[in-house]
Each structure stands twice: as C-alpha cells, then as structure tokens.
Amino acid sequence: MIFFDGTYRLQAGIDGGHATSRRKSAYAWRVRIINLSLGRPDIRHIRPFIVFTSPAGNGIFKTNCAESMGKRIFRDFSLNMAETLWLELFPDTSGKIYAAVFTPRFTYGPEAYYDIGWRPIRPNELRTIAPFIAEIADLNIPDYH
C-alpha cells in the first residue's frame, strides 16, 4: 500500500541547511513510498518498504534523488535503510528503473556516509511495484509483462 505519494524538492544552493541562491528549487522528484506489510501483514518481507522516485517536471538533473535527498527521506519517514528497496526512474537510459545499493563508507559522529551504486531493477521487483506505479506500463521494460 502506498503511504506517501508526493513531491520532494531540493532547494538550489543548499549547503549545510542554508540556502545560498534565490531560485526556488533546483531539483524535484515525485516520491512514492510503498509499505508491503500493510497489504499483507501475514507475510514477513525482507524489505517491506519500497521508495520509488522519478524526476518531477522538466529540467536537467545533475544528481539523483538517492544521493541528494535519500537521507532526508529516510529520516522524514523513519525508514530503515536495510529494510528499504530504493528504486529510481532514469528516463534517459535504456534500463529506465534502477535500484540503489547503499554501501557504508564512514561515520562521523552521528552522521553516516554511503557510496551509492546502481543496478537494473530485477523482474521480481518490477512485478512487485507494478500495481502501485501505473506509469511503468508505458516504459516498455523487458520482463514487465
């Protein structure tokens, strides 16, 4: 079941929480958070949460949502990284949807830093999100049907 479906924006020029530019926002993503446990509480999911993001509106994105806003989304929704599958729609690529692989890099005080790698979405993951993400039917992704 989808428990969040909305737009997240990263303000232009934000560094350490302070805006350094007058532009309203530089990047925006549509974010959907799916909790598989809500629809099937009788099943124990290894990763019960799925974060699916796609660029909102037009514009050139110099980064992806996981790198720029991942920590904020994990924090705002109290998501555990180990229990969350992070998926992003990359419209200008042949694979279209990729899964983030978060690898711990180091910690500094209470703050943890990660390297983010990407892999194509797996067929079982695609089948799992299909009922929640209607627009993926138009992407012509192999193994979708």
Side-chain angles (χ1 to χ4, degrees):
M1 303 196 64
I2 295 175
F3 76 88
F4 178 81
D5 187 358
T7 301
Y8 259 66
R9 297 186 190 283
L10 180 65
Q11 299 302 315
I14 287 187
D15 184 12
H18 302 290
T20 58
S21 173
R22 292 187 185 267
R23 287 180 17 201
K24 287 186 180 179
S25 65
Y27 311 108
W29 289 269
R30 180 172 181 190
V31 176
R32 276 178 259 186
I33 302 175
I34 302 162
N35 183 343
L36 299 173
S37 297
L38 292 176
R40 297 290 310 265
D42 55 321
I43 295 176
R44 170 91 167 92
H45 296 274
I46 294 171
R47 292 189 177 212
F49 299 100
I50 299 171
V51 174
F52 180 84
T53 67
S54 59
N58 297 325
I60 298 172
F61 296 90
K62 295 180 181 178
T63 185
N64 55 57
C65 189
E67 290 175 347
S68 61
M69 298 183 65
K71 284 185 181 181
R72 178 178 160 189
I73 291 170
F74 280 115
R75 181 197 68 221
D76 288 354
F77 291 97
S78 301
L79 297 174
N80 180 330
M81 192 177 293
E83 295 179 346
T84 303
L85 174 63
W86 187 287
L87 300 172
E88 289 199 30
L89 174 66
F90 293 152
D92 296 333
T93 63
S94 61
K96 304 279 192 241
I97 300 174
Y98 288 86
V101 178
F102 295 91
T103 305
R105 192 170 26 153
F106 66 92
T107 58
Y108 184 75
E111 198 69 30
Y113 296 88
Y114 297 87
D115 286 325
I116 302 172
W118 296 95
R119 63 166 175 78
I121 190 170
R122 294 181 178 131
N124 63 320
E125 295 165 341
L126 191 57
R127 284 190 300 274
T128 300
I129 67 167
F132 305 103
I133 317 293
E135 61 269 22
I136 65 171
D138 299 330
L139 295 178
N140 195 22
I141 300 171
D143 296 318
Y144 169 68
H145 304 287

